[in-house]
Amino acid sequence: VLRGRGRTPDKKTDPRPFCGLMSCGSCGMGITGEIKIKRQKNGTKHLYTYYHCSKKSKTQKCFEPCVRGEELERQLSAKISEYIMPKELATKLFEMLDIEEQKNKHTASVVVLDLREEEQNISKNLARLTDVYVAQDIEREDYLKRRRSLMSDKKSVEEKIGRLLRTPSAWIEPTREWIKDALILDEIAKTNDLPSKKISLQKIFGSNLTLHAREARGMPLIHWRELHSARKNSGETDLVLILESLLYSARTYFSKNL
């Protein structure tokens, strides 16, 4: 169920699930995984996964050490846990989004009506301009100049109407999905499903995760960063201010990344 929400890769048993997730904190190259086999005298084999810099830089020699897969998983699970959204915040945010959606739809409808009236006036002006030209009361060059200007205005108004009809509140649905993702992070952090953890980390950090001195580090995306701050300051900051900040950060991010 967890992995179904995140479009997890088909290979659940991939022995190196965190490949492609991080870059090297020293040289910037990708982090890759390597399987090592340790054989005991009795014939028993043990498989160990190590992650390390791919060392593909042609300009810099990288000396970053490798890290055991189990240790990296422990660090990454701890990071996921830092971005779990409390149910109280989620409930309030869902309520605010419902109100915002209705308000946006109403505002968009009012603006569209005004724009349609403006579009009709431009069409009337175009018709009058054509009548004047046919009556030979205006020079052709002047006519074409005015017509181009009116057509440009009409196109601009039509584009505004189209945008309002298509996306009066386009950022709201991605925000709802973000809240749902943040709510199940507690389960994901505790599961052994490593591909699901990778997907969640990509959502939180984008391409900002690095591995340096055997430590996973990263700067989260703006809305996740605001959530982390909200969790940290929950007892010190007014709840309304926290909710408004979360909503603002989500609107800012998803409006730019639709």
Side-chain angles (χ1 to χ4, degrees), residues 21-23 204-210 217-221:
L21 175 62
M22 298 171 288
S23 59
I204 296 169
F205 295 96
S207 58
N208 299 328
L209 265 179
T210 62
R217 307 174 183 178
M219 176 64 73
L221 301 176

Side-chain angles (χ1 to χ4, degrees), residues 172-219:
I172 290 180
E173 194 55 39
T175 300
R176 286 196 179 105
E177 292 303 311
W178 165 57
I179 296 170
K180 294 174 186 177
D181 287 337
L183 278 170
I184 64 170
L185 288 184
D186 184 38
E187 301 170 52
I188 291 177
K190 295 175 182 176
T191 185
N192 292 324
D193 190 346
L194 303 189
S196 284
K197 293 185 179 183
K198 177 180 179 179
I199 290 169
S200 294
L201 289 161
Q202 287 172 326
K203 289 179 179 180
I204 296 169
F205 295 96
S207 58
N208 299 328
L209 265 179
T210 62
L211 186 63
H212 180 68
R214 296 193 176 97
E215 181 184 354
R217 307 174 183 178
M219 176 64 73

Side-chain angles (χ1 to χ4, degrees), residues 24-28 52-57 59-66 211-214:
C24 177
S26 291
C27 69
H52 56 79
C53 177
S54 60
K55 304 184 187 297
K56 291 185 177 181
S57 175
T59 60
Q60 180 180 346
K61 191 169 184 180
C62 187
F63 297 97
E64 283 289 336
C66 61
L211 186 63
H212 180 68
R214 296 193 176 97

Side-chain angles (χ1 to χ4, degrees), residues 93-105 167-180 247 250-251 254-255 258:
L93 285 173
F94 281 135
E95 292 173 358
M96 292 173 72
L97 286 172
D98 289 341
I99 295 171
E100 188 77 16
E101 186 172 38
Q102 292 304 315
K103 184 170 66 176
N104 284 1
K105 286 180 178 178
T167 58
S169 51
W171 61 275
I172 290 180
E173 194 55 39
T175 300
R176 286 196 179 105
E177 292 303 311
W178 165 57
I179 296 170
K180 294 174 186 177
L247 211 58
R251 181 193 292 112
F254 290 115
S255 294
L258 288 174

Side-chain angles (χ1 to χ4, degrees), residues 88-123:
E88 179 190 11
L89 287 184
T91 301
K92 294 290 185 182
L93 285 173
F94 281 135
E95 292 173 358
M96 292 173 72
L97 286 172
D98 289 341
I99 295 171
E100 188 77 16
E101 186 172 38
Q102 292 304 315
K103 184 170 66 176
N104 284 1
K105 286 180 178 178
H106 174 71
T107 302
S109 298
V110 172
V111 175
V112 166
L113 285 175
D114 291 341
L115 287 171
R116 289 206 185 282
E117 185 177 348
E118 183 179 346
E119 181 186 23
Q120 291 173 2
N121 290 333
I122 293 172
S123 296

Side-chain angles (χ1 to χ4, degrees), residues 9 11-23 30-34 49-52 67-78 80 188-189 191-202 209 211 216:
K11 296 185 179 180
K12 181 178 179 180
T13 56
D14 182 355
R16 302 172 299 167
F18 296 133
C19 285
L21 175 62
M22 298 171 288
S23 59
I31 296 296
T32 188
E34 181 180 357
T49 302
Y50 290 85
Y51 290 90
H52 56 79
V67 61
R68 279 277 295 270
E70 295 88 345
E71 170 58 19
L72 183 60
E73 180 191 351
R74 183 193 67 77
Q75 292 184 30
L76 295 176
S77 295
I80 290 172
I188 291 177
T191 185
N192 292 324
D193 190 346
L194 303 189
S196 284
K197 293 185 179 183
K198 177 180 179 179
I199 290 169
S200 294
L201 289 161
Q202 287 172 326
L209 265 179
L211 186 63

